[in-house]
Amino acid sequence: MAATGKGRVSISDSGARTGRNGLPTIQTQKKTNEVCHDDSSAPVKAQTIDELHSLQKKKSAPTTPNIGFQGPFTTGLSEEERSKQQLQSISASLASLTRETGPNVVKGDPTKQSETPRVAHVSQQSHFTPTISVSDSSLKFTHVLYNLSPAELYEQAIKYEKGSFITSSGALATLSGAKTGRSPKDKRVVRDYTTEDDLWWGKGSPNIEMDEQTFMVNRERAVDYLNSLDKVFVNDQFLNWDPENRIKVRIVSARAYHSLFMHNMCIRPTAEELESFGTPDFTIYNAGQFPCNRYTHYMTSSTSIDLHLGRREMVILGTQYAGEMKKGLFGVMHYLMPKRQILSLHSGCNMGKDGDVALFFGLSGTGKTTLSTDHNRYLIGDDEHCWSSNGVSNIEGGCYAKCIDLSREKEPDIWNAIKFGTVLENVVFDEHTREVDFSDKSVTENTRAAYPIEYIPNAKIPCVATHPKNIILLACDAFGVLPPVSKLSLAQTMYHFISGYTALVAGTEEGIKEPQATFSACFGAAFIMLHPTKYAAMLATKMQEHGATGWLVNTGWSGGRYGSGNRIKLAYTRKIIDAIHSGNLLKGNYKKTEVFGLEIPTEVEGVPSEILEPINTWSDKKAYKETLLKLGGMFKNNFEVFVAHKIGKDDKLTDEILAAGPIF
């Protein structure tokens, strides 16, 4: 073999030197100032593999200049000083009530730290007398993983949390442990001078009281547990897209799953906002992997979710279900916002291209999420909102969607939102392909997806809108006697808002054989803090001020009760909602029904006129009237608990609301 180019390798057939095994040796023909051609890049600037790994990641670029920011961590401070103050704030949050100081905290994953810089202890002001000055936890460092990105949280979950996997769509599948839903019977609220007169206590109330001493015992238990860990996750985020009324929240947790969940569900701060975040308005201590002491006063199990509105703190023990954090903060907003004359609402909200806004209220199974998600309208939010003098604003930064039996055809927006960054709770997937089987209930029927709201294509960012034009109350009436749509007077809107009616059917809960009426005040009794009539009075005032119209839409049965009639077609309900949005339904002719006294339209475009009046669809008219009276009686019995409460400045509205109920 002969060389054909300059400086190439040549193996000569004649006179070649022989190497091992009789093979010819390779000779290189070099010429002055020439080298062999090599298309590889220059060698890396590293002497060790650790150095090479350190080159793989670069530090985030400086976020924003300090000039112009007046936050406590920005003005005139270097980056090092600002970071120190931030850590001191976190240390203060984690301070034990039985010691004078907070723990030593330092940013970063402990597995990647070779040397830990000391941070000064932070004093914790308390009326409790410190009894312990030194402990093991005060001698160690607590590593803080602060506002990590989804990618970083994926790494933490997969490396350290059993049951965490990346699914085929890119979402993170996690397990919430033994609890796969909320534990309302284990939720407690401190009853003290702050809440004694403000909160709704007693029959029908979701607020189960505890005293401050017991809260402090549970807080100490949670904080001690978190301080005993090598690392904790800290999220500093916001609630409420209205910048004038947003709340700063800090979430301290032990799991990457919880940190990513709240990253998605709360409003994510910009770099500038994070630099000037300062002291939070409310703090959650999520020690859900650690149980409460069931021998502690007020405890009925190893689970406890405790709210102290005076201290602006929440403690979670004995449950890893992430929804407790979301709904706990919603309860806090139900307390804080009305104090600012802002109405907090458990509702969906969307806005038309012309700026008309609609609120959707409804319990599980009524179609609230489906009907508020409309490709022809902008989504403001799917679950929690505030109505202030500025208009409507979403409280959250994400969506928490049910996944059971999810399909691309039925819910394309939710299906497409399940991608990288989304948390999938308690789903079942193929062990090889990692494809999720959304019909599998092996872990729980309450499978969920938590994702940022911007994953929905038609979401309006920022999530704010003008004052609502329509208030739509949804009911899935399995008794089949409520009309598909009714226009409500103001008093009727208040009556049905306070009632919060829907009906459970067989298959919804174990043991249900026939329709079962369910009432949840303000369509969210589990989360409200004040008496329902206070929210109703605020809603009435807002509707009067801004000329909003109330509607009752039945998405349930027609032509008979569940088992004999038929579910109202979704296509018909969508036509009704479209007619409400357009304003055409306001212009129609109406007639009044018996018992409930509802105004029903005589026609709706695209909807058969005969189904608009329920009695027309029942073959057995006697059975219809009996069922109607039965449901009316259920409404009356449910409303008895609200009769004695005054609504508004005088009793006039109260009397009107009572008169707006069923009459027979």
Side-chain angles (χ1 to χ4, degrees):
M1 181 185 293
T4 58
K6 296 179 181 181
R8 292 190 180 181
V9 175
S10 171
I11 301 177
S12 176
D13 289 332
S14 59
R17 288 182 295 173
T18 304
R20 286 182 301 173
N21 302 322
L23 296 173
T25 58
I26 299 174
Q27 299 177 20
T28 303
Q29 299 174 356
K30 277 191 175 182
K31 291 192 177 182
T32 308
N33 299 326
E34 291 187 5
V35 295
C36 294
H37 176 71
D38 185 356
D39 61 358
S40 65
S41 61
V44 296
K45 298 175 182 178
Q47 300 299 316
T48 66
I49 192 66
D50 287 339
E51 280 188 46
L52 178 60
H53 287 170
S54 71
L55 294 174
Q56 186 181 22
K57 302 175 187 174
K58 66 177 183 178
K59 287 189 175 181
S60 298
T63 50
T64 53
N66 293 336
I67 300 171
F69 287 93
Q70 302 301 318
F73 296 161
T74 56
T75 306
L77 297 179
S78 66
E79 183 178 349
E80 182 180 353
E81 289 171 324
R82 185 167 60 249
S83 179
K84 183 178 179 180
Q85 284 200 5
Q86 194 175 63
L87 287 173
Q88 286 176 330
S89 173
I90 294 170
S91 178
S93 292
L94 284 166
S96 165
L97 271 299
T98 56
R99 289 182 289 276
E100 293 180 342
T101 57
N104 296 308
V105 293
V106 62
K107 280 188 182 179
D109 188 338
T111 62
K112 298 177 183 178
Q113 298 286 333
S114 56
E115 185 176 343
T116 309
R118 181 171 290 276
V119 175
H121 283 302
V122 177
S123 295
Q124 170 71 18
Q125 300 298 323
S126 170
H127 62 271
F128 286 84
T129 304
T131 57
I132 304 171
S133 59
V134 179
S135 71
D136 288 345
S137 62
S138 69
L139 297 176
K140 65 179 279 294
F141 287 97
T142 299
H143 292 259
V144 173
L145 301 181
Y146 182 72
N147 275 49
L148 296 190
S149 68
E152 292 172 307
L153 291 168
Y154 265 55
E155 292 173 5
Q156 290 289 325
I158 291 165
K159 286 171 70 175
Y160 304 114
E161 296 179 13
K162 191 173 181 180
S164 297
F165 299 89
I166 300 177
T167 64
S168 59
S169 68
L172 181 70
T174 64
L175 291 173
S176 65
K179 298 293 179 84
T180 58
R182 290 183 302 103
S183 302
K185 293 180 180 178
D186 295 311
K187 182 182 173 184
R188 302 287 183 270
V189 182
V190 174
R191 187 167 184 168
D192 60 8
Y193 68 92
T194 305
T195 59
E196 175 69 34
D197 297 326
D198 286 347
L199 265 58
W200 178 24
W201 305 104
K203 184 179 179 182
S205 168
N207 303 316
I208 306 172
E209 70 177 84
M210 72 186 309
D211 60 32
E212 185 174 31
Q213 177 66 32
T214 305
F215 175 86
M216 291 304 183
V217 170
N218 284 352
R219 182 193 187 278
E220 190 79 350
R221 191 172 177 90
V223 167
D224 280 349
Y225 169 74
L226 292 167
N227 286 339
S228 73
L229 303 175
D230 288 334
K231 64 186 178 187
V232 295
F233 298 88
V234 177
N235 293 42
D236 281 348
Q237 296 182 253
F238 298 113
L239 297 177
N240 196 352
W241 283 85
D242 178 358
E244 292 181 19
N245 295 294
R246 71 182 182 183
I247 301 297
K248 297 185 292 183
V249 293
R250 172 169 292 165
I251 304 101
V252 185
S253 59
R255 291 192 61 182
Y257 148 49
H258 291 151
S259 185
L260 181 57
F261 177 92
M262 294 306 280
H263 169 88
N264 290 348
M265 294 310 303
C266 294
I267 299 167
R268 293 156 290 283
T270 64
E272 297 94 330
E273 291 167 337
L274 199 56
E275 285 183 357
S276 59
F277 191 84
T279 304
D281 300 314
F282 198 90
T283 303
I284 293 178
Y285 300 98
N286 189 341
Q289 292 163 289
F290 198 65
C292 69
N293 184 340
R294 66 182 64 200
Y295 289 102
T296 305
H297 194 36
Y298 296 102
M299 300 300 102
T300 53
S301 74
S302 60
T303 298
S304 192
I305 303 99
D306 307 326
L307 273 175
H308 193 316
L309 294 169
R311 289 183 59 87
R312 305 292 173 92
E313 292 179 340
M314 177 181 178
V315 171
I316 298 175
L317 291 164
T319 174
Q320 297 178 63
Y321 181 65
E324 295 288 9
M325 295 183 287
K326 165 189 159 66
K327 290 304 185 184
L329 287 176
F330 189 31
V332 171
M333 295 296 279
H334 270 310
Y335 173 74
L336 295 178
M337 291 297 102
K339 285 186 168 295
R340 301 184 185 185
Q341 301 305 308
I342 297 170
L343 177 59
S344 49
L345 300 164
H346 187 213
S347 69
C349 180
N350 65 24
M351 184 178 79
K353 294 187 169 73
D354 294 330
D356 61 293
V357 177
L359 292 175
F360 293 81
F361 294 87
L363 302 177
S364 180
T366 59
K368 179 178 64 136
T369 300
T370 300
L371 295 171
S372 62
T373 304
D374 186 331
H375 289 282
N376 296 315
R377 297 173 66 83
Y378 298 110
L379 178 68
I380 306 301
D382 72 332
D383 195 42
E384 303 175 8
H385 292 86
C386 287
W387 188 354
S388 72
S389 58
N390 299 327
V392 175
S393 56
N394 190 350
I395 289 175
E396 301 179 296
C399 303
Y400 193 34
K402 289 184 177 181
C403 290
I404 195 65
D405 295 326
L406 179 69
S407 68
R408 188 194 299 271
E409 295 72 30
K410 290 181 181 178
E411 300 283 359
D413 284 342
I414 297 175
W415 179 276
N416 293 328
I418 298 175
K419 56 186 179 181
F420 181 83
T422 296
V423 175
L424 280 174
E425 283 182 329
N426 301 316
V427 298
V428 177
F429 52 84
D430 185 278
E431 63 178 355
H432 175 59
T433 65
R434 298 292 196 263
E435 290 185 6
V436 177
D437 181 356
F438 289 109
S439 65
D440 197 314
K441 306 173 186 176
S442 298
V443 179
T444 178
E445 188 168 332
N446 188 34
T447 53
R448 296 270 184 165
Y451 49 86
I453 194 167
E454 55 264 31
Y455 281 16
I456 301 297
N458 62 328
K460 181 182 178 296
I461 309 294
C463 302
V464 294
T466 55
H467 298 284
K469 179 181 175 182
N470 293 295
I471 310 298
I472 300 171
L473 311 182
L474 301 170
C476 177
D477 177 29
F479 293 95
V481 295
L482 290 182
V485 60
S486 312
K487 183 177 66 173
L488 303 176
S489 66
L490 182 65
Q492 285 177 322
T493 304
M494 297 306 98
Y495 183 89
H496 288 279
F497 174 72
I498 294 171
S499 298
Y501 164 72
T502 194
L504 299 176
V505 296
T508 307
E509 289 186 6
E510 188 177 353
I512 293 178
K513 305 297 182 185
E514 61 178 36
Q516 191 174 90
T518 300
F519 298 92
S520 182
C522 307
F523 293 94
F527 321 119
I528 60 178
M529 305 296 285
L530 313 181
H531 194 275
T533 55
K534 294 188 178 180
Y535 300 103
M538 291 184 72
L539 180 59
T541 300
K542 297 282 187 187
M543 290 181 67
Q544 285 177 316
E545 284 180 3
H546 303 288
T549 304
W551 305 89
L552 180 64
V553 174
N554 175 23
T555 62
W557 270 255
S558 176
R561 54 188 281 165
Y562 171 81
S564 60
N566 297 302
R567 187 85 187 253
I568 297 171
K569 292 182 179 179
L570 178 60
Y572 294 160
T573 304
R574 286 197 183 279
K575 288 289 186 182
I576 288 168
I577 299 297
D578 288 344
I580 291 173
H581 289 323
S582 68
N584 290 335
L585 206 53
L586 271 176
K587 304 171 185 175
N589 296 317
Y590 287 83
K591 60 182 179 180
K592 186 172 288 190
T593 66
E594 56 183 344
V595 179
F596 280 89
L598 299 170
E599 295 280 341
I600 59 174
T602 55
E603 60 179 351
V604 178
E605 186 179 352
V607 180
S609 296
E610 60 270 19
I611 75 166
L612 295 176
E613 189 169 2
I615 193 171
N616 292 340
T617 62
W618 282 63
S619 56
D620 188 339
K621 309 300 183 186
K622 182 181 178 182
Y624 165 78
K625 290 186 177 181
E626 289 174 351
T627 307
L628 180 64
L629 291 171
K630 179 181 178 181
L631 182 61
M634 292 176 183
F635 267 83
K636 274 186 163 301
N637 291 338
N638 171 72
F639 215 82
E640 286 296 321
V641 70
F642 308 118
V643 169
H645 286 268
K646 177 180 172 182
I647 301 175
K649 295 180 180 179
D650 51 45
D651 289 332
K652 184 180 178 183
L653 185 57
T654 307
D655 294 338
E656 289 179 3
I657 291 173
L658 292 175
I663 299 172
F664 49 91

